[in-house]
Amino acid sequence: MTLTQRLVELSPLPARQSKQIAQQLLHALDPRHDPTVAQSVCAVLGIAPSAFPHDHRPPGFAVWSGSVEAVARIARVVPVVTLSNVSHWDEQETDVAALLAPHLRAHHPSWQLGFAKPDARAVDTVARLHGREPTEMLHVGDSLDYDVRGALAAGAKAVWITSRTPSTEALRLLAKHPGRVTVVPDLTRAVEHIEQITLPSTHTIRSTTP
């Protein structure tokens, strides 16, 4: 259970509303620099400050099956960094960079950046940290609302991993950004797409772009 889920249970607000508020606040705040974070979050969610679960200890973070191998393949052709929407409390027990070592150039959790996807500043900040323009970046993720919208807002391209048929709303979004989003059914296809556009003479594309 994440800290957000625990706060949603405590909040008198509707679950969907409290979840959205909690994520927006928690994912972009560093409690090491602002000791009033917990009180601020409780105030917005209508929770007594004393009820904040300071004892929160999430289970260890688990990467998708095949993720390490996928990152290793991608790292052979382009530098790889991660950009994760996560709170300090939920990541404190896990060294994500170590899970994907030695293939990552860097790991950038939103709580350290101060911005969370789909805020364009999250992608833009990561690009600047590595001396790149957002337009040079390709963001891979499985969330339309966070990964795809966040990348597009910053001017980057995106690979959207989804096994579902895109909704009408999703298709409208993709149509507004022709050529900037590639839709693939799984992580393996995402890797193949990246290899194909990087090494076009040795790989065959098998993804689809609505």
Side-chain angles (χ1 to χ4, degrees):
M1 178 176 285
T2 66
L3 180 60
T4 294
Q5 291 171 322
R6 294 187 66 178
L7 292 174
V8 168
E9 290 184 346
L10 294 170
S11 176
L13 299 176
R16 184 173 182 178
Q17 180 184 0
S18 59
K19 177 181 179 181
Q20 183 178 32
I21 293 173
Q23 288 180 331
Q24 289 175 342
L25 292 173
L26 294 174
H27 288 172
L29 295 174
D30 186 345
R32 300 174 305 175
H33 300 153
D34 183 359
T36 67
V37 167
Q39 294 92 322
S40 300
V41 172
C42 287
V44 176
L45 293 176
I47 301 171
S50 59
F52 188 88
H54 290 284
D55 62 341
H56 179 67
R57 290 293 182 272
F61 180 79
V63 298
W64 277 2
S65 175
S67 292
V68 176
E69 294 79 7
V71 171
R73 284 177 60 180
I74 297 172
R76 285 197 286 267
V77 293
V78 290
V80 181
V81 302
T82 57
L83 168 55
S84 302
N85 277 9
V86 64
S87 75
H88 163 78
W89 292 271
D90 287 315
E91 193 180 52
Q92 60 182 325
E93 300 294 333
T94 302
D95 185 345
V96 175
L99 293 176
L100 298 172
H103 316 296
L104 279 188
R105 179 70 58 88
H107 170 57
H108 300 289
S110 58
W111 66 269
Q112 289 186 3
L113 291 176
F115 306 108
K117 300 173 290 185
D119 189 329
R121 291 173 294 180
V123 175
D124 185 69
T125 300
V126 171
R128 306 301 177 190
L129 287 172
H130 293 276
R132 300 288 183 175
E133 294 296 325
T135 53
E136 298 179 83
M137 297 181 67
L138 178 65
H139 185 66
V140 181
D142 65 343
S143 171
L144 177 72
D145 290 331
Y146 295 101
D147 297 315
V148 176
R149 292 186 190 277
L152 294 176
K157 292 184 178 181
V159 172
W160 179 24
I161 301 175
T162 179
S163 58
R164 299 180 179 180
T165 301
S167 65
T168 301
E169 177 188 0
L171 290 174
R172 281 199 295 265
L173 176 65
L174 302 186
K176 290 181 181 179
H177 302 276
R180 291 181 58 196
V181 181
T182 298
V183 183
V184 296
D186 52 46
L187 186 57
T188 298
R189 297 296 180 87
V191 174
E192 292 174 351
H193 170 69
I194 294 170
E195 291 175 331
Q196 188 275 333
I197 61 175
T198 308
L199 305 169
S201 62
T202 58
H203 296 276
T204 301
I205 189 168
R206 287 160 54 186
S207 60
T208 58
T209 306

